[in-house]
């Protein structure tokens, strides 16, 4: 078969509401592919990795040789793994899959085995500073057609807390602008675990009482607990039938998950900060978790995420791909194509991107019946307005830093 020669690789850094890193690969005969390599707060490191180290290697290679290119970039660098490397490889890998599917004239999921379901069940982000605001946010999601919501609330006595919108439903500020506040240095938040542990079960009790047993509920503890605190929280939340408790402890210590497992039947999701199958090896083989959180964008693209998902599937562990607004619509589309095809798809996170972001990235995926379906056009199905991207240049923005009430730095 005649090779499909890669002619040009461009790196596009744009900030329509927040920063995104996109790779554009063009073949000699005019096929274009896009891939997402956005790494929140470290975007320029990925852009440099792509521009300075990967782009020169790609020119002249066969765009069809996706597996060979993946191995060439991963093994060839000698320095394996890590968020910057794996986001850069992910961007290239996704762009090559986009090209292959466009050449085949098929939506990407068809090349990954075809659809295993009509659409991918998604969960939205409901939050509130108090119960009435939280209920309004849940109702707004239900009115839009969501069947699953993540529940995050403020904690009495603490200021701004991860995952809680800074203005109620209909307010001026969207939640997704909050974590990546634009400034040269990160803002600081204050945290107190005991107050959180005292408060959260009462929130889930109230939500279940208000919305009944059918609604799918999730929660993100965002790496803040010790193993025994996480075990206690999982146990306390059991009556409220959570779909999952996410990131209960910092994921570096995988043995922590064994302790949590010994104490609670609340399902556990982990891995949004992981980037290879090796990070999951013990957690999956020992069946210490129920959902893997990696998205295509941070775990080496579609090629490597498929490997993680297949390994997870051997142990009845399902996918729950990370889908915040700091993953671009291109990254979300990549996860959706794979999710639609996978047998062990579980749920997809879906924070709707802002209008500003959609002015640059125009995705063809569609939301109905609480789920997303990727576009049925050839490729990934996301268009990019290059001129609009250029009108929105990069702006420094960082995730917050967390400190305990005595000033000690804590996990955010
Ligand atoms: O960039 C970090 C965010 O994507 C992360 O804080 C969001 O935890 C998150 C989630 O579950 O979406
Ligand atoms: Mg999370």
């Amino acid at each position: 078969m005649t090779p499909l020669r890669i002619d040009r690789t461009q790196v596009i850094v744009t900030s329509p509401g927040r920063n995104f890193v996109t790779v554009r690969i063009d073949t000699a005969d005019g096929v274009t592919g896009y891939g997402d390599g956005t790494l929140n707060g470290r975007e320029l490191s990925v852009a440099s990795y792509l521009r300075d180290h990967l782009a020169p290697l790609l020119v002249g290679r066969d765009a069809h040789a996706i597996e060979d290119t993946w191995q060439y970039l991963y093994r060839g660098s000698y320095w394996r793994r890590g968020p910057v490397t794996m986001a850069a490889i992910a961007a290239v890998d996704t762009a090559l899959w986009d090209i292959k599917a466009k050449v085949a004239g098929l939506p990407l999921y068809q090349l990954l085995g075809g659809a295993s379901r009509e659409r991918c069940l998604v969960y939205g982000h409901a939050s509130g500073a108090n119960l009435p605001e939280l209920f309004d946010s849940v109702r707004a999601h239900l009115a839009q057609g969501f069947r699953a919501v993540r529940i995050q609330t403020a904690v009495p006595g603490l200021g701004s807390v991860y995952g809680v919108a800074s203005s109620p439903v209909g307010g001026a500020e969207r939640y997704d602008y909050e974590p990546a506040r634009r400034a040269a240095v990160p803002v600081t938040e204050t945290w107190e675990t005991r107050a959180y542990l005292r408060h959260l079960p009462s929130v889930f009790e109230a939500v279940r009482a208000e919305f009944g047993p059918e609604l799918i509920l999730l929660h993100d503890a965002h790496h803040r607990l010790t193993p025994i605190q996480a075990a206690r929280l999982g146990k306390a939340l059991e009556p409220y039938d959570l779909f999952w408790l996410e990131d209960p402890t910092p994921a570096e210590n995988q043995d922590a998950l064994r302790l949590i497992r010994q104490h609670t039947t609340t399902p556990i999701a982990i891995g949004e900060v992981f980037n290879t199958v090796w990070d999951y090896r013990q957690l999956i083989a020992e069946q210490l978790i129920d959902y893997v959180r990696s998205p295509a964008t941070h775990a080496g693209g579609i090629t490597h995420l498929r490997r993680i998902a297949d390994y997870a599937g051997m142990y009845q562990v399902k996918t729950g791909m990370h889908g915040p607004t700091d993953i671009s619509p291109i990254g979300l589309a990549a996860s959706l194509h794979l999710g639609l095809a996978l047998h062990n798809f579980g749920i997809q996170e879906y924070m709707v991107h802002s209008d500003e972001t959609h002015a640059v990235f125009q995705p063809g995926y569609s939301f109905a019946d609480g789920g997303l379906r990727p576009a049925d056009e050839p490729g990934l199905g996301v268009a990019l307005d290059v001129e609009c991207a250029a009108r929105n240049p990069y702006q420094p923005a960082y995730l917050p830093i967390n400190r305990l009430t005595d000033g000690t730095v804590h996990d955010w």
Side-chain angles (χ1 to χ4, degrees):
M1 200 178 149
T2 339
L4 194 61
R5 190 181 180 281
I6 296 177
D7 202 33
R8 203 156 84 113
T9 302
Q10 278 174 275
V11 182
I12 300 159
V13 181
T14 179
S15 194
R18 63 182 318 141
N19 296 312
F20 296 104
V21 179
T22 307
V23 149
R24 173 184 167 150
I25 296 180
D26 290 285
T27 67
D29 45 1
V31 186
T32 299
Y34 293 111
D36 178 34
T38 306
L39 189 61
N40 202 3
R42 295 292 183 272
E43 297 87 357
L44 299 185
S45 307
V46 182
S48 159
Y49 196 108
L50 283 162
R51 201 176 279 135
D52 300 329
H53 303 295
L54 300 195
L57 305 180
L58 294 175
V59 179
R61 291 184 66 83
D62 179 5
H64 272 317
I66 297 178
E67 179 68 29
D68 185 66
T69 299
W70 197 94
Q71 301 296 345
Y72 178 81
L73 299 181
Y74 179 78
R75 293 173 200 274
S77 71
Y78 187 63
W79 309 107
R80 299 179 186 197
R81 309 163 61 182
V84 175
T85 299
M86 298 308 285
I89 294 177
V92 172
D93 182 80
T94 304
L96 295 181
W97 278 107
D98 191 17
I99 289 172
K100 193 185 276 295
K102 281 173 180 159
V103 172
L106 293 170
L108 177 53
Y109 69 82
Q110 293 293 9
L111 302 189
L112 302 171
S116 290
R117 57 196 60 76
E118 198 44 41
R119 54 190 68 251
C120 299
L121 174 70
V122 298
Y123 70 91
H125 284 200
S127 75
N130 48 46
L131 283 180
E133 284 184 21
L134 174 64
F135 288 180
D136 283 351
S137 174
V138 173
R139 280 192 201 100
H141 280 85
L142 293 175
Q144 288 169 53
F146 279 90
R147 290 166 44 213
V149 282
R150 191 184 84 160
I151 298 292
Q152 308 290 137
T153 59
V155 176
L158 296 185
S160 55
V161 169
Y162 165 76
V164 182
S166 49
S167 50
V169 174
E173 200 176 347
R174 281 173 53 107
Y175 157 66
D176 61 336
Y177 299 148
E178 196 184 37
R181 290 189 195 107
R182 288 168 162 176
V185 291
V187 297
T188 300
E189 293 182 347
T190 306
W191 181 250
E192 221 250 83
T193 305
R194 289 186 67 232
Y196 163 79
L197 290 177
R198 273 198 310 274
H199 181 62
L200 193 69
S202 69
V203 171
F204 274 90
E205 184 183 16
V207 171
R208 270 286 172 238
E210 181 73 14
F211 295 99
E214 281 299 321
L215 183 60
I216 297 171
L217 300 178
L218 307 89
H219 179 71
D220 190 348
H222 223 259
H223 327 271
R224 286 163 189 215
L225 310 178
T226 65
I228 202 69
Q229 287 168 339
R232 182 179 142 201
L233 180 63
K235 219 167 158 176
L237 294 176
E238 277 172 23
Y240 314 115
D241 185 25
L242 266 64
F243 187 92
W244 78 36
L245 171 61
E246 179 187 339
D247 285 336
T249 51
E252 295 96 315
N253 175 12
Q254 308 219 338
D255 290 325
L257 275 298
R258 192 177 308 112
L259 188 144
I260 298 169
R261 205 55 149 182
Q262 283 161 354
H263 289 278
T264 180
T265 55
T266 293
I268 303 294
I270 216 157
E272 69 180 41
V273 299
F274 288 179
N275 39 69
T276 70
V277 68
W278 300 102
D279 303 325
Y280 286 106
R281 201 175 60 84
Q282 179 189 358
L283 295 180
I284 292 175
E286 293 187 30
Q287 308 197 79
L288 303 179
I289 58 170
D290 303 280
Y291 296 92
V292 289
R293 292 279 290 139
S294 290
T297 302
H298 298 141
I302 289 161
T303 298
H304 194 70
L305 184 55
R306 167 122 229 179
R307 231 149 248 157
I308 294 172
D310 288 346
Y311 177 48
M314 289 168 61
Y315 296 87
Q316 290 177 284
V317 173
K318 293 188 176 187
T319 64
M321 297 172 202
H322 194 204
T325 44
D326 48 271
I327 284 172
S328 85
I330 291 170
L332 178 58
S335 289
L336 284 173
H337 280 281
L338 183 58
L340 196 73
L342 285 174
H343 172 253
N344 59 325
F345 168 82
I347 199 166
Q348 169 68 53
E349 182 179 14
Y350 181 40
M351 281 175 80
V352 183
H353 287 99
S354 68
D355 294 344
E356 256 176 305
T357 299
H358 281 150
V360 171
F361 301 94
Q362 290 131 20
Y365 44 71
S366 54
F367 176 78
D369 302 331
L372 279 171
R373 186 179 171 91
D376 267 304
E377 65 194 68
L380 276 174
V382 184
L384 193 145
D385 183 332
V386 184
E387 281 157 25
C388 190
R391 285 197 298 275
N392 291 276
Y394 169 80
Q395 297 191 35
Y398 293 98
L399 292 162
I401 299 288
N402 223 7
R403 287 188 186 274
L404 301 179
T405 44
D406 71 356
T408 309
V409 172
H410 192 59
D411 307 276
W412 184 74

